[in-house]
């Protein structure tokens, strides 16, 4: 199974990606959170920093671009090309209000004619036609309703995308409700593009349920599931028999959800603290970053609710470290 690490703005920073790659395996590609090029300024310094090749050495990383102007998209592709990247991902999923109101991310999905024109211009640009760069798309199933999905699939099917990554929620869902397997099944039925599924695969049992329903899919993108349990991709890969490449019945039967190696987790966690302390000024921003992670990681420690509250409250790094000693 090919597993991709989903882009998560503010969370999967280059620091997080590097350290995850150092401590854990199982991931084929790491997707960087979106850069949003403007007509004049192009990429901001902050955005460019996250994707600089020297910050991502040795990591199979795909940059992601979000815009609704093909000229800006192509310009950003050219910058990425100079950085050495060959594959770019296009964001049609971001549900944030400020993004959607500008007809970008999942807000662009409601404007099918403009979206179609955008894709036509991008896929007819010489750098794409000549295969200097390859484009994959990450999409939701619609802006307002799942009924938008068949038309969106019709549009996508016209273009030679490298992959179509589907997070089958609509924008209105944000991260609530459940991803629509019906929409994904429709895509499986008609797609000419290689498909990647993304959404709510948090643990091994959910993974197994998905592969049972969609045995023809060989690529899955995981986001919050890996933030929650950084070992998840490795655990999924261990379900496969290395010889046959098939899911091993014994491994399936023995799989314990939420199992993880505490020593590796501690080493990963301590490296994160150290790297963020070096990168950021003051204790508060470092703690803020760690608390964002604990929002997802804490459910791996269900018996420690009280400690979680203390972790979320503290403004002091020494106090935080004490809680970690207690927890880990
Ligand atoms: C805090 C946060 C930030 C995100 N940032 C991005 C982003 O920059 N680009 C993107 O395509 N998706 C982004 N996503 C969506 C994830 O990539 C992914 O599609 C979503 O979390 C569903 O997958 P999951 O259920 O495996 O987490 C973000 C999600 C969250 C929760």
């Amino acid at each position: 199974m090919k597993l991709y690490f989903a882009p998560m703005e503010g969370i999967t920073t280059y620091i997080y990606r590097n350290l995850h790659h150092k401590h854990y395996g199982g991931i084929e590609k790491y997707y960087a959170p979106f850069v949003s090029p403007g007509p004049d300024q192009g990429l901001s310094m902050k955005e460019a920093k996250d994707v600089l090749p020297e910050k991502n050495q040795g990591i199979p990383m795909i940059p992601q671009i979000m815009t609704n102007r093909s000229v800006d998209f192509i310009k950003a592709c050219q910058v990425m090309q100079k950085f050495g990247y060959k594959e770019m991902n296009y964001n049609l999923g971001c549900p944030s209000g400020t993004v959607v109101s500008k007809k970008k991310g999942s807000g662009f999905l409601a404007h099918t004619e403009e979206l179609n024109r955008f894709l036509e211009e991008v896929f007819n640009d010489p750098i794409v036609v000549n295969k200097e760069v390859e484009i994959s798309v990450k999409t939701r199933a619609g802006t307002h309703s799942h009924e938008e999905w068949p038309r969106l699939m019709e549009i996508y099917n016209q273009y030679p995308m490298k992959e179509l990554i589907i997070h089958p929620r609509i924008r209105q869902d944000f991260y609530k409700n459940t991803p629509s397997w019906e929409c994904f099944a429709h895509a499986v039925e008609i797609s000419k593009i290689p498909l990647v599924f993304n959404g709510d695969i948090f643990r091994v049992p959910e993974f197994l349920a998905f592969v049972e329903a969609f045995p023809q899919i060989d690529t899955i993108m995981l986001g919050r599931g890996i933030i929650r349990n950084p070992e998840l991709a490795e655990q999924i890969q261990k379900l496969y028999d290395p010889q046959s490449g098939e899911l091993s019945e014994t491994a399936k039967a023995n799989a314990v959800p939420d199992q993880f190696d505490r020593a590796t987790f501690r080493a990963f966690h301590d490296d994160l603290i150290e790297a963020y302390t070096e990168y950021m000024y003051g204790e508060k921003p470092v703690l803020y970053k760690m608390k964002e992670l604990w929002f997802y990681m804490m459910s791996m420690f269900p018996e420690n609710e009280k400690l979680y509250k203390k972790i979320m409250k503290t403004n002091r790094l020494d106090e935080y470290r004490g809680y970690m000693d207690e927890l880990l």
Side-chain angles (χ1 to χ4, degrees), residues 204-241:
V204 166
E206 285 122 38
F207 168 80
L208 290 173
F210 177 83
V211 291
E212 195 167 319
F214 295 99
Q216 61 281 70
I217 297 300
D218 67 358
T219 316
I220 295 179
M221 176 178 264
L222 306 165
R224 292 165 295 171
I226 306 188
I227 305 298
R228 175 178 182 271
N229 175 8
E231 206 177 295
L232 179 64
E234 257 179 39
Q235 280 173 8
I236 290 177
Q237 301 297 12
K238 281 187 194 145
L239 298 170
Y240 287 85
D241 183 312

Side-chain angles (χ1 to χ4, degrees), residues 162-179:
K162 182 164 165 73
E163 277 169 331
L164 181 63
I165 304 166
I166 304 174
H167 176 202
R169 280 190 167 89
I170 53 170
R171 184 267 166 167
Q172 302 295 65
D173 290 332
F174 286 84
Y175 293 97
K176 293 193 287 287
N177 303 325
T178 43

Side-chain angles (χ1 to χ4, degrees), residues 71 78 97 132 197 213 247 276:
V71 204
Q78 285 163 334
E132 288 169 47
F197 178 81
L247 270 175
Y276 278 130

Side-chain angles (χ1 to χ4, degrees), residues 188-319:
V188 170
E189 208 175 295
I190 68 156
S191 184
K192 298 178 193 159
I193 309 161
L195 296 180
V196 179
F197 178 81
N198 168 239
D200 290 18
I201 308 283
F202 297 136
R203 303 170 319 140
V204 166
E206 285 122 38
F207 168 80
L208 290 173
F210 177 83
V211 291
E212 195 167 319
F214 295 99
Q216 61 281 70
I217 297 300
D218 67 358
T219 316
I220 295 179
M221 176 178 264
L222 306 165
R224 292 165 295 171
I226 306 188
I227 305 298
R228 175 178 182 271
N229 175 8
E231 206 177 295
L232 179 64
E234 257 179 39
Q235 280 173 8
I236 290 177
Q237 301 297 12
K238 281 187 194 145
L239 298 170
Y240 287 85
D241 183 312
Q243 245 97 58
S244 68
E246 299 291 320
L247 270 175
S248 145
E249 288 307 320
T250 338
K252 263 166 71 176
N254 293 335
V256 184
D258 289 353
Q259 187 184 40
F260 70 104
D261 182 87
R262 288 200 172 214
T264 312
F265 183 85
R266 178 84 213 226
F268 171 56
H269 170 277
D270 290 357
D271 272 1
L272 278 171
I273 289 271
E274 197 180 313
Y276 278 130
T277 307
E278 211 171 287
Y279 172 70
M280 299 173 121
Y281 186 74
E283 296 191 355
K284 271 196 185 162
V286 176
L287 284 168
Y288 182 81
K289 276 272 172 251
M290 298 313 292
K291 287 176 192 179
E292 272 188 309
L293 298 178
W294 278 110
F295 175 75
Y296 299 99
M297 297 190 300
M298 204 57 211
S299 63
M300 293 294 287
F301 303 85
E303 71 284 11
N304 295 91
E305 189 113 342
K306 273 197 189 138
L307 199 55
Y308 174 62
K309 287 198 179 126
K310 288 185 188 169
I311 294 169
M312 288 317 219
K313 250 184 159 169
T314 184
N315 282 322
R316 286 180 29 212
L317 210 45
D318 58 348
E319 208 168 64

Side-chain angles (χ1 to χ4, degrees), residues 31 87-90 134-138 162-163 165:
Y31 285 71
E87 180 184 339
M88 328 296 161
N89 182 255
Y90 179 50
E134 290 184 295
I135 311 294
S136 61
V137 169
K138 180 167 181 280
K162 182 164 165 73
E163 277 169 331
I165 304 166

